[in-house]
Amino acid sequence: MRMLAEFFPEFAEKLDDLDALYKEKRMIDEKTYQFICFALSIKGRSKPCALKHFKGALEAGATVEELTYILALTMREAAGADDCWTHDVIGDWQEIIAGNIKCDCEK
C-alpha cells in the first residue's frame, strides 16, 4: 500500500472508498467481520492484516480461545483445499510419468 499511496494515490483512495462502502453495507456484526478478515489474513499470509484483525476481533469481544478456533479452522480448511487441488492437478500421475501430460510452462 505504501507504494500505491506514493505512486498511484488515486488507486489507494479508491481502496479507501471500498472500505467505507463495505462498512456502510455490512450485514454482519463486527466480531464476525473480524473473524472472517482474520481467517483471510492467515490464508493470505499477511502479517500486518493478521495482527490488525486479531486485535480488532479482541476489541469486538472475541476471546483468545475463539481466535485460536478460527486459526485451527482456517488451517484445516486450507489443508483440505490444498489436498483436493493437488490431487486434481496430479491425480493422473501415472500419465505424467509416462510423458502423456505436459505442463505447458516455459523453462
Side-chain angles (χ1 to χ4, degrees):
M1 286 297 295
R2 292 180 294 248
M3 286 181 67
L4 286 174
E6 183 175 347
F7 297 108
F8 198 176
E10 303 86 354
F11 184 81
E13 290 169 15
K14 294 296 181 191
L15 290 176
D16 290 340
D17 292 345
L18 275 175
D19 287 344
L21 180 63
Y22 285 137
K23 189 167 188 165
E24 175 189 328
K25 300 291 184 179
R26 189 176 304 158
M27 294 174 263
I28 56 177
D29 63 88
E30 182 67 19
K31 188 167 119 176
T32 303
Y33 169 79
Q34 293 296 335
F35 282 164
I36 293 168
C37 291
F38 180 58
L40 291 169
S41 298
I42 294 166
K43 187 61 181 152
R45 304 216 184 280
S46 173
K47 181 179 178 179
C49 292
L51 293 171
K52 173 185 173 182
H53 295 295
F54 184 92
K55 187 172 186 301
L58 291 173
E59 291 170 354
T63 65
V64 173
E65 290 82 6
E66 288 174 313
L67 285 159
T68 302
Y69 175 81
I70 298 298
L71 169 62
L73 178 63
T74 303
M75 292 174 65
R76 173 60 189 101
E77 287 302 309
D82 291 346
D83 181 58
C84 291
W85 181 84
T86 303
H87 284 287
D88 185 47
V89 171
I90 62 171
D92 292 331
W93 62 271
Q94 291 149 328
E95 292 296 312
I96 297 167
I97 292 171
N100 297 328
I101 298 175
K102 306 261 186 266
C103 74
D104 296 328
C105 40
E106 296 181 27
K107 293 183 180 182

